[in-house]
Short mmCIF file of all heavy atoms in Angstrom, two decimals:
data_model
loop_
_atom_site.label_atom_id
_atom_site.label_comp_id
_atom_site.label_asym_id
_atom_site.label_seq_id
_atom_site.Cartn_x
_atom_site.Cartn_y
_atom_site.Cartn_z
N ALA F 173 67.68 121.51 107.81
CA ALA F 173 66.94 120.25 107.68
C ALA F 173 65.83 120.20 108.72
O ALA F 173 64.71 119.76 108.46
CB ALA F 173 67.89 119.07 107.84
N LEU F 174 66.18 120.65 109.90
CA LEU F 174 65.21 120.68 110.99
C LEU F 174 64.05 121.63 110.67
O LEU F 174 62.89 121.34 110.95
CB LEU F 174 65.92 121.17 112.25
CG LEU F 174 65.25 120.87 113.57
CD1 LEU F 174 65.32 119.40 113.85
CD2 LEU F 174 65.93 121.66 114.67
N ALA F 175 64.41 122.75 110.03
CA ALA F 175 63.39 123.73 109.66
C ALA F 175 62.41 123.10 108.68
O ALA F 175 61.20 123.27 108.79
CB ALA F 175 64.04 124.98 109.06
N LEU F 176 62.97 122.33 107.73
CA LEU F 176 62.10 121.67 106.75
C LEU F 176 61.11 120.76 107.46
O LEU F 176 59.91 120.74 107.16
CB LEU F 176 62.95 120.81 105.81
CG LEU F 176 63.53 121.58 104.63
CD1 LEU F 176 64.31 120.63 103.74
CD2 LEU F 176 62.40 122.23 103.84
N LEU F 177 61.62 120.03 108.42
CA LEU F 177 60.79 119.12 109.20
C LEU F 177 59.70 119.90 109.92
O LEU F 177 58.53 119.52 109.92
CB LEU F 177 61.68 118.40 110.20
CG LEU F 177 61.07 117.26 111.01
CD1 LEU F 177 60.72 116.12 110.08
CD2 LEU F 177 62.05 116.80 112.08
N ALA F 178 60.12 121.04 110.50
CA ALA F 178 59.17 121.82 111.28
C ALA F 178 58.10 122.46 110.41
O ALA F 178 56.97 122.65 110.84
CB ALA F 178 59.92 122.90 112.07
N PHE F 179 58.48 122.80 109.17
CA PHE F 179 57.52 123.46 108.29
C PHE F 179 56.62 122.47 107.56
O PHE F 179 55.60 122.86 107.01
CB PHE F 179 58.23 124.34 107.26
CG PHE F 179 58.57 125.70 107.76
CD1 PHE F 179 59.88 126.07 108.02
CD2 PHE F 179 57.56 126.62 108.00
CE1 PHE F 179 60.19 127.32 108.50
CE2 PHE F 179 57.86 127.88 108.48
CZ PHE F 179 59.18 128.24 108.73
N ALA F 180 57.02 121.21 107.54
CA ALA F 180 56.18 120.22 106.85
C ALA F 180 54.79 120.31 107.45
O ALA F 180 54.64 120.27 108.66
CB ALA F 180 56.77 118.83 107.05
N PRO F 181 53.77 120.45 106.60
CA PRO F 181 52.42 120.64 107.14
C PRO F 181 52.06 119.48 108.05
O PRO F 181 52.21 118.33 107.67
CB PRO F 181 51.54 120.64 105.89
CG PRO F 181 52.45 120.81 104.74
CD PRO F 181 53.81 120.35 105.15
N LYS F 182 51.64 119.84 109.25
CA LYS F 182 51.18 118.80 110.17
C LYS F 182 49.88 118.29 109.62
O LYS F 182 48.99 119.08 109.31
CB LYS F 182 50.95 119.39 111.55
CG LYS F 182 52.18 119.98 112.19
CD LYS F 182 53.08 118.90 112.73
CE LYS F 182 54.43 119.46 113.13
NZ LYS F 182 55.15 120.10 112.04
N GLU F 183 49.80 116.99 109.45
CA GLU F 183 48.55 116.55 108.86
C GLU F 183 47.47 116.75 109.88
O GLU F 183 47.53 116.28 111.01
CB GLU F 183 48.65 115.11 108.35
CG GLU F 183 48.24 114.11 109.31
CD GLU F 183 49.31 113.28 109.93
OE1 GLU F 183 50.50 113.65 109.94
OE2 GLU F 183 48.92 112.24 110.42
N MET F 184 46.53 117.62 109.50
CA MET F 184 45.38 117.88 110.35
C MET F 184 44.31 117.24 109.52
O MET F 184 43.56 117.86 108.80
CB MET F 184 45.20 119.38 110.46
CG MET F 184 44.13 119.80 111.42
SD MET F 184 44.06 118.70 112.77
CE MET F 184 43.95 119.84 114.06
N PRO F 185 44.34 115.93 109.53
CA PRO F 185 43.69 115.18 108.47
C PRO F 185 42.21 115.41 108.42
O PRO F 185 41.58 115.68 109.42
CB PRO F 185 44.00 113.74 108.83
CG PRO F 185 44.48 113.75 110.23
CD PRO F 185 44.78 115.14 110.63
N HIS F 186 41.71 115.28 107.22
CA HIS F 186 40.27 115.31 107.04
C HIS F 186 39.78 113.93 107.42
O HIS F 186 40.47 112.95 107.22
CB HIS F 186 39.94 115.60 105.59
CG HIS F 186 40.56 116.86 105.12
ND1 HIS F 186 39.88 117.83 104.46
CD2 HIS F 186 41.83 117.32 105.26
CE1 HIS F 186 40.69 118.83 104.19
NE2 HIS F 186 41.88 118.55 104.67
N VAL F 187 38.61 113.89 107.96
CA VAL F 187 38.09 112.58 108.31
C VAL F 187 37.97 111.80 107.02
O VAL F 187 37.61 112.33 105.98
CB VAL F 187 36.71 112.73 108.97
CG1 VAL F 187 36.19 111.37 109.37
CG2 VAL F 187 36.82 113.64 110.17
#
Side-chain angles (χ1 to χ4, degrees):
Chain F
L174 199 70
L176 275 182
L177 188 66
F179 276 110
K182 298 283 169 301
E183 92 253 20
M184 186 34 135
H186 304 229
V187 182

